[in-house]
Amino acid sequence: MTIITSGKRRHRDPIVCIMLNGGRVTSGFRAALFDAASRAGVSVNEFVLTAAADKLRASGSQFSGVFEPGDLAPAEG
């Protein structure tokens, strides 16, 4: 996950923590998730958050980025 210093940020959107716990999945799903993150060259957390951001963007939500502004392509339409 990219760490952003305040001097490098282009926008004033604050960086906040997200606390998720209690997630339980099947071992097959977990293995597929870890494999996909590994193939993408990112942490599992980064992979999951980016996937969630892609889904939110596709459903019309608007936000600046995931890890830093510009991480996601602009929404279509």
Side-chain angles (χ1 to χ4, degrees):
M1 211 177 294
T2 305
I3 298 174
I4 305 165
T5 62
S6 59
K8 290 182 179 180
R9 295 188 58 225
R10 290 176 263 152
H11 300 286
R12 297 276 180 206
D13 207 6
I15 301 298
V16 297
C17 293
I18 183 170
M19 303 299 201
L20 302 173
N21 57 29
R24 294 174 50 134
V25 296
T26 64
S27 61
F29 180 87
R30 182 182 183 279
L33 176 60
F34 275 68
D35 288 344
S38 179
R39 283 191 306 276
V42 297
S43 71
V44 173
N45 286 347
E46 188 170 352
F47 187 86
V48 168
L49 290 173
T50 302
D54 288 341
K55 185 166 179 78
L56 288 168
R57 180 63 50 90
S59 70
S61 293
Q62 295 188 7
F63 45 90
S64 62
V66 179
F67 303 101
E68 59 184 83
D71 278 348
L72 300 172
E76 294 181 14

